[in-house]
Amino acid sequence: LNMRFGPGSPIYEEVAGELSALFKIIKDPMKFALWSKNMQLVYGSTPPEEAFISQTYLMMLVKLLLARHMIKEGTPPARESLNGKLFNSQGIHIIEDDFFSWVLNPLFWPQVKPLVDIITDALDCYDLEAVDEDIFKEIYQEIVKRGERHRIGEYYTPEWLAKITLREAALTLDPKKEMTSFSILDPACGSGTFLTNAISFLRENGCSLEEILDNIYGMDLNPLAVVIARANYLLALG
């Protein structure tokens, strides 16, 4: 996913480049100001406008990938995928009106729609039913620079280590392996590595959807990471 869509890829360069040019025309002061204030709280400094464009691109990719996962036949509706209505209609409240919804400005939608199509077409070759891990981690780490993340203690756990930690914790809690489900909270969940592995663990134990939803929770102060964690959570449910 990172090789196909991440920084340096042809798709990223084309879409992010067009978004940058559009934002210079639109320049939504309210969305940008809210984002700047939030990033100031999260990272202790305001990242440049380039970071805002990169994060807008990442949010588009996440939402469109989820839409592709939900709509098996045909093309997912573009605007409804980005504004969350596609998910709300299915009772899944995962997308909110965030800093990055400036791309839905009706005056510039004719320029944004072809960019959406580029991403959607490239997603068609992926089998999203096979997802069983945090698939956005690498691309998120590329877009949010290491220095910014590490300055606030934002480190990401490898998949193998998350799996081992969860199984060791479960064995400590239930040495006789008599329990099928556990309550799990990740208080600094980032993009959801522990959450997705916990979901896989409970699914292997035969837990129902309701049991998983009632027992796996995460939180984070970075709203960008939270949206990605929600997406990974939804994909992990199958």
Side-chain angles (χ1 to χ4, degrees):
L1 197 73
N2 188 38
M3 288 176 63
R4 188 82 181 275
F5 297 98
S9 68
I11 291 175
Y12 176 89
E13 295 301 326
E14 181 175 359
V15 175
E18 290 292 332
L19 288 175
S20 181
L22 277 174
F23 189 70
K24 284 178 170 53
I25 302 170
I26 299 173
K27 204 69 175 180
D28 188 324
M30 183 176 292
K31 298 288 186 186
F32 187 71
L34 287 171
W35 172 82
S36 297
K37 183 177 180 181
N38 192 273
M39 291 299 102
Q40 176 73 33
L41 291 172
V42 173
Y43 292 111
S45 62
T46 303
E49 186 177 295
E50 177 189 354
F52 181 68
I53 301 302
S54 296
Q55 291 180 21
T56 299
Y57 166 84
L58 178 58
M59 286 298 96
M60 287 176 63
L61 174 63
V62 169
K63 294 170 186 178
L64 293 172
L65 187 146
L66 288 180
R68 178 77 281 168
H69 180 57
M70 288 185 63
I71 306 296
K72 309 302 181 190
E73 301 294 334
T75 303
R79 284 189 69 89
E80 288 74 9
S81 300
L82 295 180
N83 64 22
K85 289 184 179 179
L86 173 65
F87 310 100
N88 292 339
S89 67
Q90 302 296 316
I92 301 171
H93 304 292
I94 192 170
I95 304 298
E96 300 167 352
D97 183 21
D98 55 24
F99 317 122
F100 311 110
S101 59
W102 63 270
V103 295
L104 296 170
N105 186 319
L107 291 175
F108 295 92
W109 182 246
Q111 286 83 16
V112 173
K113 176 62 166 57
L115 305 179
V116 172
D117 293 340
I118 290 171
I119 297 173
T120 301
D121 292 345
L123 287 169
D124 282 345
C125 64
Y126 288 88
D127 176 15
L128 299 171
E129 298 294 336
V131 172
D132 64 351
E133 61 181 65
D134 176 357
I135 64 170
F136 297 109
K137 179 169 23 182
E138 285 188 22
I139 192 169
Y140 174 83
Q141 290 176 326
E142 286 286 327
I143 284 177
V144 180
K145 302 303 181 186
R146 178 180 297 184
E148 295 171 2
R149 290 187 286 105
H150 288 185
R151 189 169 61 249
I152 62 164
E154 196 175 271
Y155 291 84
Y156 281 81
T157 310
E159 292 289 331
W160 63 268
L161 183 55
K163 284 184 171 66
I164 290 174
T165 304
L166 283 165
R167 294 187 184 281
E168 288 293 322
L171 192 61
T172 302
L173 181 65
D174 180 27
K176 295 183 179 179
K177 298 185 179 179
E178 296 174 343
M179 300 169 63
T180 58
S181 66
F182 312 95
S183 290
I184 297 168
L185 167 68
D186 186 346
C189 68
S191 56
T193 299
F194 273 99
L195 302 183
T196 55
N197 280 283
I199 290 170
S200 297
F201 183 82
L202 293 190
R203 289 182 68 182
E204 289 171 12
N205 282 4
C207 290
S208 67
L209 174 63
E210 289 73 20
E211 287 177 306
I212 291 172
L213 294 176
D214 287 344
N215 286 291
I216 299 183
Y217 298 92
M219 63 182 74
D220 202 279
L221 81 146
N222 187 337
L224 186 72
V226 168
V227 174
I228 296 173
R230 288 175 177 173
N232 277 319
Y233 194 116
L234 184 61
L235 289 170
L237 291 174

